[in-house]
Amino acid sequence: MVRLIVRFIISALVLVVLSFILPGFEVAGFGGALLAAVVIALLGYGAEYILGENASPQGRGLASFIVAAIVIYVAQFIVPAMTVSILGAILAAIAVGIADSVVPTKLR
């Protein structure tokens, strides 16, 4: 349980940093980023369940990159404190992919 909480806190911090750096990607406050991290994780698990593990946002490759960008873009319609353009979702998917390779957040 502690690992799950730490994972969401790290993900929220990454989203806050991305909102300062990336054009077309905005998250209002840490609470909004934490909610966005939970929603993105749930949407990612749903995509993994429907499309298989290779297409999950934690997977590697072009399909997982596209799924991650779509998950980030769709999350803005669920999280009121988040606004994302298509370009912002693509850039965020790249940044999250890089962050996942440096700091693995997948639970085992």
Side-chain angles (χ1 to χ4, degrees):
M1 184 67 171
V2 173
R3 285 184 174 176
L4 185 65
I5 293 169
V6 169
R7 176 182 182 219
F8 286 127
I9 290 172
I10 290 172
S11 296
L13 290 172
V14 168
L15 292 176
V16 168
V17 169
L18 290 179
S19 70
F20 286 114
I21 297 171
L22 296 179
F25 185 87
E26 296 179 23
V27 179
F30 184 75
L34 193 58
L35 178 61
V38 171
V39 168
I40 288 170
L42 291 175
L43 290 174
Y45 291 138
E48 182 178 337
Y49 179 76
I50 293 169
L51 301 173
E53 189 172 322
N54 292 334
S56 74
Q58 289 81 23
R60 303 290 181 246
L62 182 61
S64 65
F65 165 73
I66 293 170
V67 170
I70 292 170
V71 162
I72 291 168
Y73 186 76
V74 169
Q76 75 172 324
F77 299 112
I78 300 170
V79 179
M82 184 175 173
T83 306
V84 182
S85 68
I86 293 174
L87 177 63
I90 292 169
L91 294 174
I94 293 169
V96 168
I98 292 169
D100 279 346
S101 69
V102 175
V103 181
T105 57
K106 188 170 183 176
L107 299 175
R108 300 196 187 267

